[in-house]
Amino acid sequence: MTPAIEDFLRANAERFEADLCELLRIPSISADPAYQGDVRRAAEWVAGRLKALGLSVEVIPTSGHPLVYGESPRQEGVPTVLVYGHYDVQPVVPLELWVSPPFEPTRRNGNLYARGATDDKGQMLTHVFGAEAWIATVGRLPVNLKFVIEGEEEIGSSGLHAYLAAHPDRLACDCVVISDGSQFGPGQPAITYGLRGIACFELQLTGPSRDLHSGTFGGSVSNPVNALTRMLAALIDERGKIRLPGFYDDVVPLTAKEREQFASLPFDEKHYLAQIGLSEPFGEEGYTTLERRWARPTFDINGIWGGYQGEGAKTVLPAQAGAKFSFRLVPNQDPNKVAAALESMLRQNCPPGISMKLISHHGSPGVLVSLDSPYIAAAARAISQAFGRPPVFTREGGSIPIVTAFHEVLHADALLIGWGQDDDNTHSPNEKFSLADFHRGIRASAQLWEELAAVSPGNRVASAD
């Protein structure tokens, strides 16, 4: 990165913060129709910033909120990088818990407090400003850069999923850069190279035509709540091992190198447990807490209902019962294969007199980018220079379906390089973003374009999934 770029970043630091505050003042809550005009205003704001860079920009209508697409002039012989982010934000309730108004950015203790500060307006803009530094000083970018910034990330990304399926050539790239997450810890940047997938279900059981007296009818007919608890309990043993036939057949095991790397991370298990009010961990035998969270499949009941829930006792044999539950999957597991095995097992365990309905809500495979990817190596070099220390390599236990879609449709490595912190209160009152990390993120982004330019286009190591 040239001295001119470094000077530009220093000279424009205050303006970068002012621009971020301007975007944060727009209440772009995608889930609430009352804010539809504000969501559109945020899209136009982002489009305006991309146009100011000289990019070809389009605000693309969808069935919901619009996509903002920007593309730099095409150059031959350099990689093409797609930057993904979102301009929509979560609702702000409960409003009374905010120390300062959620859409009036406020600086406190080196942080900027506002809804969307870290998720994802602040992180997304680091890449806009990183690109601006090159264009303003060098006159061009060292890579082909595409931006796709959506307004529906917080409500499922349906518009982007549809656009990606219909226009894969327009979004074609060598790698995807995504900053919508966290570092491993304060001052310890990270690159996330793996995400778990997900498969979500709802089970509905129906027994008698109405609630029955448990004394008069109990013991002579099947109780849907009893059946539900037995059927769900059969899916997992007391040690956290999932009993679904064939469930582990396609699981990609952790390598010895990965296990050593996870073990070397500065992870304080006691502190982790204390944060969530627990004293002991639990999970699949033979694995550490980080391995269980990031790289092993799980089964969890998310909600359960049936029978009498009011005050006191009511000796009723319920007519219906139900539960919602999910599996977190790891590469190479297939959500459709899991769904088929689940339906078969549940029907086998469903007792006489009970009818069952299994609803599959949504599913998405996991993603694993090879640590030997040249794009991962380029990102590591850029982050090391910007943050003053090398990143650690982590996986993420959560699922980001659009990342899976990028991986499957575009066949491109995903660089998940978050600048936030775990305590940034994303989706909660008093969301914040460290201003120091905001500026380090801009510098890392500017450096990233140079590092990625050194990678030959199409030079991609096959992912482990």
Side-chain angles (χ1 to χ4, degrees):
M1 196 161 63
T2 67
I5 292 177
E6 297 274 14
D7 291 342
F8 180 87
L9 296 180
R10 283 191 292 269
N12 287 273
E14 290 187 8
R15 197 258 301 169
F16 294 153
E17 292 183 18
D19 283 357
L20 171 56
C21 289
E22 189 175 314
L23 180 57
L24 291 173
R25 291 189 181 98
I26 303 175
S28 50
I29 302 173
S30 54
D32 190 339
Y35 291 89
Q36 183 173 353
D38 292 307
V39 176
R40 176 75 189 196
R41 189 155 57 96
E44 297 288 356
W45 190 98
V46 173
R49 286 301 183 276
L50 296 180
K51 287 178 184 176
L53 302 186
L55 274 59
S56 174
V57 178
E58 183 180 357
V59 178
I60 302 169
T62 72
S63 58
H65 301 303
L67 301 172
V68 179
Y69 178 79
E71 183 174 348
S72 65
R74 176 75 185 173
Q75 304 174 76
E76 296 299 326
V78 299
T80 297
V81 181
L82 177 66
V83 175
Y84 164 79
H86 64 95
Y87 62 82
D88 65 319
V89 300
Q90 281 279 324
V92 297
V93 292
L95 186 59
E96 65 274 12
L97 296 184
W98 286 81
V99 174
S100 52
F103 294 111
E104 184 51 54
T106 304
R107 291 171 175 80
R108 293 196 302 273
N109 303 318
N111 300 309
L112 189 63
Y113 287 81
R115 173 59 87 227
T118 192
D119 182 23
D120 175 49
K121 293 177 178 178
Q123 298 202 59
M124 176 268 291
L125 280 179
T126 63
H127 299 302
V128 176
F129 297 145
E132 180 188 347
W134 275 89
I135 294 168
T137 59
V138 181
R140 64 173 180 84
L141 288 157
V143 294
N144 295 315
L145 203 54
K146 299 178 179 181
F147 286 88
V148 61
I149 313 299
E150 67 162 319
E152 297 183 308
E153 193 275 342
E154 303 293 5
I155 55 173
S157 302
S158 61
L160 180 53
H161 279 284
Y163 189 82
L164 176 62
H167 303 280
D169 291 343
R170 191 175 194 191
L171 300 181
C173 60
D174 293 292
C175 68
V176 184
V177 172
I178 302 170
S179 293
D180 188 14
S182 299
Q183 302 175 59
F184 183 73
Q188 179 54 73
I191 296 176
T192 300
Y193 68 95
L195 296 170
R196 288 197 291 196
I198 193 169
C200 291
F201 301 93
E202 181 175 348
L203 178 62
Q204 299 175 355
L205 301 184
T206 302
S209 60
R210 62 189 185 279
D211 288 356
L212 302 175
H213 189 294
S214 65
T216 303
F217 293 93
S220 64
V221 298
S222 293
N223 181 320
V225 176
N226 291 356
L228 180 69
T229 56
R230 286 196 302 270
M231 292 167 70
L232 294 178
L235 296 176
I236 190 168
D237 69 17
E238 66 278 4
R239 296 179 178 86
K241 192 80 170 179
I242 297 162
R243 290 171 164 168
L244 203 61
F247 185 77
Y248 293 96
D249 289 354
D250 299 323
V251 169
V252 175
L254 280 162
T255 65
K257 179 181 178 182
E258 285 179 301
R259 301 192 79 172
E260 290 173 5
Q261 180 179 289
F262 289 178
S264 70
L265 293 174
F267 175 65
D268 186 336
E269 185 172 271
K270 289 185 178 180
H271 177 69
Y272 164 75
L273 292 169
Q275 284 183 311
I276 53 177
L278 296 174
S279 58
E280 296 292 336
F282 172 80
E284 187 181 1
E285 286 188 336
Y287 296 93
T288 67
T289 295
L290 285 182
E291 290 170 348
R292 293 167 182 161
R293 289 173 60 197
W294 292 347
R296 295 299 297 172
T298 63
F299 164 74
D300 283 293
I301 299 170
N302 309 128
I304 192 165
W305 59 269
Y308 179 64
Q309 306 290 329
E311 293 292 333
K314 183 181 181 183
T315 53
V316 63
L317 193 157
Q320 296 179 319
K324 295 185 179 184
F325 53 93
S326 58
F327 296 88
R328 293 289 174 171
L329 309 177
V330 298
N332 217 15
Q333 290 181 295
D334 181 349
N336 295 323
K337 190 174 178 180
V338 170
L342 175 67
E343 175 113 21
S344 176
M345 183 175 178
L346 290 174
R347 292 205 178 277
Q348 290 176 16
N349 290 337
C350 189
I354 300 291
S355 63
M356 66 162 267
K357 180 180 181 181
L358 181 67
I359 301 169
S360 179
H361 283 298
H362 67 272
S364 175
V367 174
L368 195 61
V369 178
S370 172
L371 287 173
D372 294 325
S373 163
Y375 300 106
I376 289 277
R381 292 193 297 271
I383 291 170
S384 296
Q385 292 192 44
F387 282 78
R389 65 185 302 180
V392 296
F393 297 94
T394 66
R395 292 206 202 179
E396 169 56 54
S399 308
I400 309 177
I402 194 61
V403 176
T404 303
F406 284 143
H407 189 73
E408 292 181 336
V409 176
L410 304 179
H411 307 291
D413 288 343
L415 304 180
L416 294 160
I417 46 177
W419 316 130
Q421 295 293 341
D422 281 344
D423 66 353
D424 277 346
N425 301 319
T426 56
H427 296 203
S428 299
N430 304 307
E431 180 179 344
K432 67 176 177 64
F433 190 23
S434 162
L435 287 169
D437 286 336
F438 172 60
H439 291 292
R440 281 191 283 258
I442 297 170
R443 189 171 186 274
S445 177
Q447 184 67 43
L448 179 63
W449 312 140
E450 183 173 60
E451 298 293 345
L452 290 175
V455 181
S456 299
N459 185 3
R460 176 176 177 267
V461 175
S463 297
D465 61 335

